[in-house]
Amino acid sequence: MAKFPWSSGPGEILQHGLALLRKDSDANRRLAMLSIDNSVELMIKTYLGLPKRVTGLNIGRARCAEFSESFPKLLDAIEEFASDKVTGIDLGEIEWYHRLRNQLYHQGNGLTVELEKVVVYAELAKLLFKNLFGNELEVDDQEGHERLVGGFLSAWVRLEQTVQAIWSRVSLKQWERKTMLMRPAELVARKIIDDKLGLEMDRLKKLRNGVVHGDTASTTALTDDDIESVKKAITRLEKVIKSMPATTEDS
């Protein structure tokens, strides 16, 4: 895929954070967390500050300066101007990891962070990088739970995008689609999917939430079968889309 010069800065910082994780220690986890968080902030600033000819976004300099003042304002801005770029990525979770990073940075020595939390933040950052810049970040081959977390979250993004495509074919207002994005029970209630698929999607959603929130039990329980289950759900949902009428406009 195409690589753009403006993605090199955020990419290098994120690669540095990932490299620190290859030799696990309390110090390396802290430093990795700081690097990953810095890369996320720079990614968003870089993307929103690109010329209109690149992104199609019309954002004035004054507005850019305003939302560049703080991390939460950056998250608000990316949600406002480029919500399609964060499908499958919960910005509330990104902000939670940023606050965790702040605790490590401001409260001095003696604090550490669980490896699972750093790994998950790294994977969310890699997904955001791909969404914003259109290419995968080049990293060394991953092993163990790092590979599983990355594969699972990457597949989950595709699942959310597929569900979003289904809701776009249903006569709902935009805000209704957003609130019901990942509510399998609502899809079942509307007879869009069957009970079996709804239950499986609900199970996967709970597993995903546990992984992203740094629950050790969820990360430990994650297997290749779970990644395959997400992919199978996507395949079934894609068949549902083909059977639905053409996209309708917002009511």
Side-chain angles (χ1 to χ4, degrees):
M1 301 178 72
K3 297 179 182 178
F4 302 104
W6 48 80
S7 69
S8 61
E12 288 172 2
I13 296 174
L14 181 51
Q15 285 172 325
H16 175 65
L18 295 171
L20 288 166
L21 290 178
R22 295 188 192 115
K23 187 175 181 181
D24 184 35
S25 69
D26 286 350
N28 278 4
R29 291 180 197 175
R30 288 193 294 269
L31 292 173
M33 195 73 176
L34 297 179
S35 291
I36 293 164
D37 189 72
N38 288 345
S39 74
V40 168
E41 183 173 1
L42 185 56
M43 279 180 220
I44 299 174
K45 282 183 178 179
T46 299
Y47 183 80
L48 294 177
L50 289 173
K52 181 181 178 181
R53 289 182 177 87
V54 175
T55 62
L57 303 178
N58 188 15
I59 308 174
R61 292 183 180 179
R63 188 70 194 280
C64 277
E66 177 188 342
F67 58 62
S68 294
E69 293 175 357
S70 73
F71 195 90
K73 287 183 179 180
L74 276 175
L75 297 182
D76 290 342
I78 197 69
E79 187 172 37
E80 177 183 349
F81 292 104
S83 60
D84 60 312
K85 296 295 183 181
V86 293
T87 300
I89 301 173
D90 189 321
L91 295 180
E93 293 163 352
I94 294 286
E95 187 169 6
W96 185 87
Y97 279 105
H98 173 70
R99 290 181 180 181
L100 180 59
R101 171 265 187 206
N102 283 348
Q103 291 177 10
L104 294 172
Y105 184 79
H106 294 295
Q107 294 183 20
N109 296 328
L111 287 181
T112 187
V113 58
E114 295 91 336
L115 178 62
E116 289 80 5
K117 288 184 172 63
V118 189
V119 168
V120 169
Y121 198 18
E123 294 304 327
L124 291 174
K126 285 164 60 181
L127 290 174
L128 183 62
F129 183 91
K130 180 181 178 181
N131 286 4
L132 294 179
F133 303 123
N135 60 274
E136 300 270 5
L137 184 75
E138 293 184 0
V139 295
D140 292 339
D141 291 339
Q142 296 175 311
E143 298 180 357
H145 73 286
E146 189 176 348
R147 177 188 64 81
L148 288 171
V149 169
F152 183 77
L153 292 181
S154 181
W156 182 265
V157 169
R158 289 176 49 220
L159 179 64
E160 282 206 11
Q161 290 170 339
T162 309
V163 172
Q164 189 176 59
I166 288 177
W167 282 124
S168 72
R169 304 243 177 153
V170 179
S171 295
L172 296 173
K173 294 183 183 296
Q174 188 63 37
W175 67 267
E176 290 177 315
R177 291 177 193 162
K178 184 175 181 180
T179 58
M180 291 196 291
L181 176 59
M182 283 307 299
R183 288 173 58 183
E186 187 64 29
L187 290 169
V188 173
R190 290 172 179 263
K191 301 188 183 303
I192 296 173
I193 63 174
D194 58 34
D195 288 337
K196 184 177 180 181
L197 180 55
L199 289 172
E200 178 64 358
M201 288 174 62
D202 191 58
R203 180 188 75 81
L204 293 169
K205 178 182 177 182
K206 291 176 181 176
L207 179 60
R208 180 263 179 199
N209 288 344
V211 169
V212 171
H213 298 158
D215 177 45
T216 302
S218 296
T219 305
T220 303
L222 195 61
T223 67
D224 284 309
D225 288 340
D226 294 313
I227 298 175
E228 190 61 29
S229 293
V230 177
K231 293 178 179 178
K232 288 179 178 178
I234 292 169
T235 299
R236 293 186 62 184
L237 292 171
E238 287 174 341
K239 291 180 179 178
V240 169
I241 293 174
K242 290 180 181 179
S243 69
M244 299 177 75
T247 303
T248 58
E249 296 293 330
D250 284 352
S251 57

